[in-house]
Amino acid sequence: NNPNTTARTITVVINDDDDPSNTATTTVSIVRTNDKPIIDLDNSSGGNNYSTTFTEDVSSNLLISNNATVTDTDDANIQSATITLTNELNGAFESISLTAAQISTALSTYGITATTNAAKTLITLTGSATKARYQTVIRQIVYNNTHNNPNTTARTITVVVNDDDDPSNTATTTVSIVR
């Protein structure tokens, strides 16, 4: 995962029982490549995606993940995450969010700044913090829809984390809407 990048020298000598050959030497350079982080929103099943159901007048503050995990084989920390409600269909009635207390804890305890756009369809997490700390914050994000007659088209919420070298895969939560 993180190989030592010191050059390796390979030396070959052949002997025919009379005399050894000349010495052939080559040097092998080792170059590291970044392994992208991986976000899994439902690590209990195959794939990285999660599906859930929001039921009008029954559900509120529905978690977007049942057990998100963040892995990265060559970085101890994650630098940022972007969580997006990609198809807001009921305007200001629906949102993705963290509570004010969760935002405060993310910063004071985990060193992660959480910001939300005005439409509450985008949450941006920034700050160098461990994968476990990013997992904790992502696991607290909720979807809510207070519309009296919500559009029943499934909602899509995407999550991407970044290790400051490369973005992760895009993991998706699909929220079925039931009236």
Side-chain angles (χ1 to χ4, degrees):
N1 292 336
N2 277 324
N4 180 320
T5 58
T6 303
R8 278 41 167 215
T9 302
I10 300 172
T11 304
V12 178
V13 176
I14 299 174
N15 193 321
D16 65 1
D17 286 333
D18 289 325
D19 293 310
S21 69
N22 64 321
T23 301
T25 303
T26 189
T27 302
V28 178
S29 299
I30 307 298
V31 178
R32 281 188 202 161
T33 58
N34 182 55
D35 292 315
K36 293 180 178 185
I38 298 171
I39 178 76
D40 186 345
L41 297 175
D42 180 9
N43 72 356
S44 62
S45 66
N48 297 315
N49 301 324
Y50 178 61
S51 295
T52 189
T53 301
F54 181 90
T55 304
E56 177 189 16
D57 297 327
V58 175
S59 303
S60 67
N61 298 322
L62 182 72
L63 292 171
I64 68 161
S65 168
N66 68 336
N67 197 17
T69 57
V70 176
T71 57
D72 190 340
T73 59
D74 61 358
D75 285 294
N77 288 348
I78 296 297
Q79 304 301 318
S80 65
T82 305
I83 301 88
T84 309
L85 173 59
T86 64
N87 61 334
E88 170 198 15
L89 299 173
N90 290 125
F93 292 102
E94 64 185 319
S95 63
I96 53 174
S97 63
L98 291 162
T99 66
Q102 290 167 332
I103 291 171
S104 176
T105 299
L107 181 58
S108 65
T109 303
Y110 304 135
I112 299 171
T113 300
T115 57
T116 304
N117 67 344
K120 295 187 178 180
T121 58
L122 174 68
I123 295 173
T124 304
L125 306 175
T126 56
S128 182
T130 65
K131 295 169 277 199
R133 289 179 171 186
Y134 267 86
Q135 282 174 185
T136 298
V137 175
I138 291 168
R139 288 175 181 174
Q140 296 172 348
I141 296 172
V142 296
Y143 168 82
N144 199 16
N145 190 329
T146 59
H147 196 279
N148 289 332
N149 191 21
N151 183 312
T152 58
T153 301
R155 302 311 193 275
T156 303
I157 300 167
T158 59
V159 181
V160 176
V161 298
N162 194 306
D163 64 5
D164 213 25
D165 293 312
D166 288 305
S168 68
N169 59 303
T170 300
T172 302
T173 293
T174 301
V175 181
S176 299
I177 307 292
V178 176
R179 285 192 227 161

